Amino acid sequence: MTALQDALAGAGTATVARAYAPGTAPAGIVPTQRSAAPARSLAAVPERADAAEVEVLWERYTTTHCPQARERLILHYVPLVTAVAGRIGMRLPSTVEHADLVSYGMFGLIDAIEKYRTDRAVKFESYASSRVRGAIIDELRAMDWVPRSVRTKARAVDRAYGELEATLHRAPTEAEVAERLELPVGELRAVYSQLASVNIAALDELLAGSDDRPGAATLSDTLGDRRAEDPAGCVEAQETKYLLSRAIECLGERERLVVVLYYYESMTLAEIGRVLGVTESRISQIHTAAMTRLRTRLLDAERA
């Protein structure tokens, strides 16, 4: 995955994260079912549980489904969730918080504890690691707004670019990438348009090379404001108005009058003809001649 929504889980996830956050259990080696492991209970119970106590907790939970035993087992295996979340987080963007991954993984741990059977030949750590990893990946996929097919295409395009750059020692062209992927160039461009929405970036993220002092350059500083006036466009429009007014002044009196009545007073050619006492066709000829002269003068002014 290249990018993911930076959002927290729902209320249920937040509740579990507060109840079973990584800080509630001491950090250390991931506990095993056969070795001593640190744990912290919810009430007045011993802070450390050795192998014998863990086996007692498993026997008590599997026979009576005691909520207290379930709580102790969850807290005992929290470091396992932390370790799995850390391994997955190394391959994810920085926008994904480690605490969120731990929260997602807690659902997998709870599900693993509820479904595990002590009479099986599989160690609980191996079984729970798979369930925790699956819970984290499922939650990340549910939060992702980009279809998995687009993610697959993005990885294929990146892989093709990397292989071609290593072979050609330069940036490959579209045709070369399309040939590598065995796709028409038009279909490759369609893939590019789909990939345009895959990557996201925070507007307040500092640009590369900027320090973290107040007022440092951010990505939003590089975006243009469409509501702001274009200085070059304003100067060009003012210059065009000036040249056009000078060109109109050089027209004959009747041609200038036709231009003013037609473009500034919004009169039709027939109405102008009645004002000047000539036919509409004559007004059309005058208008055409005036436009030709204005166009010629503007072109001459541009060349100068």
Side-chain angles (χ1 to χ4, degrees):
M1 298 183 180
T2 56
L4 298 165
Q5 288 181 328
D6 185 13
L8 299 176
T13 302
T15 304
V16 174
R18 288 193 297 269
Y20 310 115
T24 60
I29 301 175
V30 177
T32 61
Q33 198 169 358
R34 298 298 179 183
S35 62
R40 187 172 300 170
S41 61
L42 298 177
V45 293
E47 295 184 359
R48 300 180 63 86
D50 55 20
E53 289 176 325
V54 173
E55 290 183 0
V56 170
L57 289 173
W58 273 114
E59 182 178 358
R60 182 182 176 189
Y61 178 69
T62 54
T63 55
T64 64
H65 294 283
C66 175
Q68 289 76 13
R70 176 175 174 270
E71 301 284 346
R72 291 289 306 278
L73 289 172
I74 291 173
L75 293 176
H76 180 77
Y77 291 109
V78 162
L80 175 65
V81 180
T82 305
V84 175
R87 289 194 296 268
I88 295 177
M90 289 188 298
R91 301 190 299 270
L92 297 177
S94 58
T95 54
V96 181
E97 296 290 341
H98 177 73
D100 294 339
L101 299 180
V102 174
S103 299
Y104 308 150
M106 291 304 301
F107 288 105
L109 175 62
I110 295 172
D111 185 62
I113 291 176
E114 293 176 348
K115 295 181 179 179
Y116 181 68
R117 298 295 178 265
T118 56
D119 55 353
R120 294 177 178 176
V122 180
K123 291 180 61 175
F124 175 77
E125 288 79 1
S126 302
Y127 174 73
S129 297
S130 176
R131 305 287 298 189
V132 169
R133 184 178 183 277
I136 294 175
I137 293 177
D138 288 344
E139 186 65 24
L140 291 176
R141 287 174 177 172
M143 296 172 59
D144 191 8
W145 70 94
V146 180
R148 293 182 61 185
S149 59
V150 177
R151 295 288 184 190
T152 303
K153 293 177 182 178
R155 288 193 295 268
V157 171
D158 291 340
R159 185 167 53 253
Y161 261 100
E163 294 174 353
L164 289 173
E165 286 180 349
T167 303
L168 303 174
H169 303 288
R170 59 173 175 81
T173 62
E174 281 188 347
E176 292 170 341
V177 176
E179 183 179 359
R180 184 78 174 192
L181 297 174
E182 298 181 354
L183 295 174
V185 177
E187 187 172 347
L188 178 63
R189 291 173 180 171
V191 173
Y192 286 154
S193 63
Q194 292 178 333
L195 300 182
S197 61
V198 172
N199 298 322
I200 61 173
L203 293 179
D204 58 352
E205 182 177 355
L206 297 178
L207 297 177
S210 301
D211 50 26
D212 55 354
R213 293 179 300 177
T218 61
L219 180 60
S220 61
D221 297 332
T222 64
L223 302 180
D225 187 1
R226 297 182 179 179
R227 296 171 298 180
E229 294 184 358
D230 181 15
C234 293
V235 173
E236 184 178 355
Q238 292 176 359
E239 184 179 4
T240 301
K241 289 180 180 179
Y242 173 75
L243 295 176
L244 184 59
S245 62
R246 291 290 301 274
I248 292 176
E249 291 176 358
C250 296
L251 296 176
E253 182 179 356
R254 177 163 290 193
E255 291 177 343
R256 185 166 59 250
L257 182 59
V258 170
V259 170
V260 170
L261 294 177
Y262 186 76
Y263 289 101
Y264 290 91
E265 301 297 334
S266 301
M267 297 178 63
T268 64
L269 297 180
E271 293 173 341
I272 298 173
R274 288 194 294 269
V275 171
L276 298 181
V278 296
T279 62
E280 181 179 354
S281 60
R282 177 56 184 159
I283 296 297
S284 177
Q285 294 174 357
I286 296 174
H287 175 267
T288 303
M291 291 299 102
T292 302
R293 293 185 180 182
L294 289 176
R295 188 178 297 109
T296 302
R297 290 185 176 275
L298 291 177
L299 291 176
D300 294 340
E302 290 181 359
R303 296 191 187 98

